[in-house]
Amino acid sequence: MDELIDTAEKKVLVDIVKMVQKRGMKGTKGDWKEFLNSYDKKFGSSLSDPARRSNDVLASFLKTFDKENDLKFLANVMQCCSNRKLVDELAKRNPDKETPVQRLVCLTLQHPQYALEYAFPSYEEGWVVTKLCKKSKVRRSDDMVAIDCEMVECVDGTEALVKICVVDRNLEVKLDKLVKPNKGVANYRTEITGITDADLDGVTCSLADIQKSMKKLLSNGTILVGHSVNNDLKVLKVDHAWVIDTSLIFKYSDGPTFRRPSLNNLCKSVLGYEVRQKGAPHNCLDDACAAMKLVLAKIDLQVANISIIDEDVPETNMAKLLLHRIPVHMPSEELHKIMPGNFTIEVKPSKKPQGDKYSVYVVYKNSQEAQQAYEDVKGNQEKDSYGRPQKLVTFQLSTGIVGNLYVRKMAHDDSVQQVSSKKRALQVEENSVMSKKLITERTILKENLADSKQLCDHLKEIESLKEQLKQTSDQCSDHLEEIERLKQELGNRDFEISVLNKMVSKLQKDKKLKKK
């Protein structure tokens, strides 16, 4: 530990000392200010800003910790800082100059959502931080394992690991275990996990056992593959920075950057099969194998942007609107005061614990009424993480309580794309007509025109048509480029708004926790 502290950069030492202060940790010479009073007789704690202190002072303070839990915390922090520094360096590389496998790691690290989705509370108790090897060894490693986990909902509203499967690049099973949750289970979510209380009879494998196995599997720069693998790492309480996330490396050919395809849609589009039938529970092993197959297909086929098959939305679902992030203190009957039109309420079963929120469907007579209700409801127009249109609606209950909820359509709003497609089709048709006219003119000239003056006139007309065709083509090209630029700009702004909303939500939640 002392060697790690002595070789750490000042920024790292400053951040660690600030974290130690925030946690109220004390070494053999007390907390940070108490240490300064004894270590520096001249300035003492009057100069307590860690950023204004030298490396020697910062290092000396950190070396005063000798308790096992404190040393474990410091080791985790030091390892996280080391890993993040390595990741930042590798994320700046040019993916095209890497091996096919390393290129996919780069694409994951460079995705705009990576920093947000993979920011784990790794310093908290119970977390394990894997050690990345030296940069040169990490860059050479093409070893991969794919993972999928199933989670249950606990009585405290959190999630706990209940099953894990890991396969290597040859699809050989490296880990396939049921796990005994370390908390009381409120909902096994059997319709999703396929697991019941009876399945865990006699199971003794714990989260700590799985963490040891994962630490061994992920040694020597092994890359972890998975679909939204950040969710698996979160429930495992394992911070492993070297990943390939299949939800980030595949992009819609005409969709916004933040829109992430489902595993089932990717399998249909890339592999040609569904990983599960509609309504069937998840299969850990099948999902892990599917993620690895997608990565291997991306490497072998060199797939860039693909036309991903969207889930078919049944006509009955088009008559619904989803209302989500509804505060639990809001009775469902109050929704009739917010949503226009005649509808019935259908409670939406939750795949993940929502804490103090819940979701419902409002069901109209037909899709036209649902569309009209969406247009009439007042709120700020947004898009969810899959690009589906939704509105943030602010309401006030009869009790005076003010709150927010989201109203979302059941499918993507393709009206803009349809208009764009019609314009392109019209432009192509016009160009085609003009091209046919040119051909006809040339044929008539060759076969029927003998008079040189008439021939000259026709040739001039042809040149004029050519010039018109070229101008029309240039204009079409300019318009299409402008449309694509605006679409990209809109997508980026939507993503920024989505990130800000998540940050605001997190800050509000933290504020509530502090008040408690």
Side-chain angles (χ1 to χ4, degrees):
M1 176 58 70
D2 287 357
E3 183 180 351
L4 289 174
I5 292 174
D6 288 334
T7 57
E9 296 178 357
K10 181 172 182 178
K11 183 181 182 303
V12 173
L13 294 177
V14 169
D15 289 343
I16 295 175
V17 171
K18 287 181 177 179
M19 291 172 63
V20 166
Q21 282 183 283
K22 189 175 181 180
R23 293 169 67 94
M25 293 170 59
K26 293 185 177 184
T28 55
K29 294 186 179 180
D31 61 19
W32 171 239
K33 290 187 176 181
E34 291 170 343
F35 165 80
L36 290 176
N37 286 330
S38 63
Y39 185 87
D40 183 357
K41 300 300 183 181
K42 184 177 181 180
F43 295 104
S45 61
S46 62
L47 189 62
S48 60
D49 182 359
R52 299 178 64 186
R53 287 291 187 169
S54 67
N55 281 29
D56 289 339
V57 175
L58 298 170
S60 297
F61 170 63
L62 294 176
K63 289 178 183 178
T64 64
F65 292 92
D66 57 3
K67 293 180 181 178
E68 184 180 352
N69 286 342
D70 292 341
L71 291 173
K72 187 176 180 181
F73 168 76
L74 292 177
N76 266 3
V77 175
M78 295 293 291
Q79 190 60 60
C80 280
C81 292
S82 175
N83 287 355
R84 293 303 164 191
K85 180 183 176 183
L86 182 57
V87 166
D88 289 343
E89 290 176 3
L90 299 177
K92 296 175 183 176
R93 303 187 322 231
N94 183 352
D96 295 332
K97 295 182 179 180
E98 301 298 326
T99 65
V101 173
Q102 293 288 338
R103 179 176 179 274
L104 298 186
V105 175
C106 286
L107 290 178
T108 299
L109 299 180
Q110 292 170 1
H111 193 280
Q113 287 182 288
Y114 175 83
L116 179 66
E117 299 291 356
Y118 287 83
F120 301 126
S122 315
Y123 313 133
E124 293 182 1
E125 186 178 355
W127 275 79
V128 171
V129 182
T130 60
K131 183 178 180 180
L132 294 182
C133 302
K134 293 180 179 179
K135 190 196 315 184
S136 58
K137 194 169 184 179
V138 170
R139 292 184 65 166
R140 289 196 302 268
S141 177
D142 281 348
D143 293 337
M144 298 186 292
V145 293
I147 187 175
D148 188 67
C149 297
E150 295 298 339
M151 303 86 159
V152 293
E153 183 181 349
C154 299
V155 291
D156 61 358
T158 61
E159 289 185 314
L161 179 69
V162 72
K163 188 174 183 181
I164 180 173
C165 286
V166 180
V167 298
D168 62 16
R169 67 186 300 158
N170 297 318
L171 306 184
E172 292 182 4
V173 179
K174 310 303 290 184
L175 192 62
D176 186 359
K177 290 277 189 180
L178 285 169
V179 183
K180 191 77 172 178
N182 56 1
K183 301 177 184 177
V185 177
N187 185 1
Y188 282 91
R189 299 191 289 213
T190 305
E191 71 281 1
I192 299 169
T193 65
I195 296 170
T196 64
D197 184 19
D199 293 327
L200 298 182
D201 289 344
V203 173
T204 58
C205 181
S206 67
L207 176 62
D209 295 329
I210 297 300
Q211 287 177 328
K212 289 178 183 177
S213 299
M214 290 303 299
K215 200 169 182 179
K216 185 177 179 181
L217 283 170
L218 297 174
S219 60
N220 301 320
T222 299
I223 300 162
L224 185 63
V225 173
H227 191 79
S228 296
V229 71
N230 58 300
N231 294 324
D232 300 302
L233 290 171
K234 199 176 296 181
V235 76
L236 286 168
K237 291 190 173 181
V238 172
D239 188 343
H240 183 70
W242 216 231
V243 299
I244 297 176
D245 190 333
T246 52
S247 75
L248 300 182
I249 62 173
F250 288 93
K251 298 179 181 179
Y252 284 90
S253 57
D254 58 353
T257 304
F258 57 81
R259 185 182 175 195
R260 296 161 70 173
S262 70
L263 180 63
N264 210 39
N265 281 0
L266 278 178
C267 286
K268 285 194 292 184
S269 304
V270 180
L271 305 178
Y273 73 91
E274 291 185 88
V275 73
R276 75 181 62 86
Q277 296 298 317
K278 189 172 182 179
H282 292 192
N283 183 303
C284 242
L285 185 57
D286 289 347
D287 289 359
C289 289
M292 182 61 78
K293 288 178 182 178
L294 286 168
V295 168
L296 296 175
K298 179 113 176 151
I299 293 170
D300 294 339
L301 303 176
Q302 297 183 344
V303 180
N305 296 346
I306 60 173
S307 297
I308 298 174
I309 301 170
D310 278 323
E311 298 282 1
D312 293 331
V313 181
E315 179 63 28
T316 53
N317 282 358
M318 294 299 290
K320 299 179 181 179
L321 295 174
L322 173 65
L323 275 59
H324 62 108
R325 299 196 64 78
I326 308 170
V328 291
H329 58 70
M330 179 180 185
S332 57
E333 293 78 14
E334 292 276 356
L335 298 177
H336 286 277
K337 299 177 182 178
I338 298 174
M339 296 300 298
N342 296 319
F343 58 85
T344 57
I345 295 174
E346 178 185 313
V347 178
K348 179 181 181 292
S350 174
K351 295 182 180 180
K352 295 182 179 180
Q354 297 186 356
D356 57 350
K357 309 289 183 183
Y358 72 98
S359 304
V360 300
Y361 294 113
V362 290
V363 186
Y364 289 88
K365 185 177 180 181
N366 52 50
S367 59
Q368 289 78 17
E369 288 189 10
Q371 172 67 22
Q372 189 59 51
Y374 181 83
E375 296 298 330
D376 292 343
V377 70
K378 295 180 180 179
N380 295 328
Q381 183 69 51
E382 299 180 6
K383 287 186 179 180
D384 71 357
S385 57
Y386 289 95
R388 290 169 294 199
Q390 64 178 8
K391 289 183 179 180
L392 176 60
V393 178
T394 301
F395 61 84
Q396 183 172 7
L397 300 179
S398 53
T399 57
I401 296 176
V402 177
N404 297 304
L405 58 83
Y406 284 95
V407 180
R408 197 205 76 197
K409 290 185 180 182
M410 298 302 294
H412 298 94
D413 189 352
D414 295 321
S415 59
V416 174
Q417 294 181 4
Q418 289 172 359
V419 170
S420 178
S421 298
K422 288 178 181 178
K423 286 182 177 178
R424 290 195 198 102
L426 182 60
Q427 290 163 356
V428 170
E429 185 178 349
E430 289 175 350
N431 291 344
S432 176
V433 169
M434 294 186 74
S435 297
K436 289 178 180 178
K437 186 174 181 181
L438 285 172
I439 294 170
T440 303
E441 290 291 340
R442 284 174 179 160
T443 304
I444 292 171
L445 286 173
K446 287 180 180 180
E447 293 180 356
N448 302 322
L449 294 178
D451 186 81
S452 60
K453 186 176 182 300
Q454 190 176 10
L455 177 59
C456 183
D457 292 340
H458 278 287
L459 286 174
K460 287 180 180 179
E461 184 180 354
I462 289 172
E463 291 302 320
S464 175
L465 288 171
K466 282 183 178 180
E467 187 62 30
Q468 291 177 28
L469 180 60
K470 182 181 178 182
Q471 290 176 0
T472 303
S473 178
D474 291 342
Q475 290 173 359
C476 291
S477 177
D478 292 341
H479 286 311
L480 289 174
E481 287 179 3
E482 179 65 14
I483 289 170
E484 291 302 319
R485 187 188 69 77
L486 291 173
K487 283 171 63 179
Q488 184 64 34
E489 184 178 334
L490 181 59
N492 291 336
R493 288 184 180 178
D494 285 340
F495 169 69
E496 291 172 1
I497 292 171
S498 176
V499 171
L500 289 172
N501 282 334
K502 288 183 180 180
M503 292 174 67
V504 169
S505 177
K506 186 175 185 302
L507 288 171
Q508 290 175 340
K509 186 175 181 181
D510 291 345
K511 188 175 180 182
K512 287 181 181 178
L513 289 174
K514 286 181 181 178
K515 287 182 179 179
K516 291 181 180 179

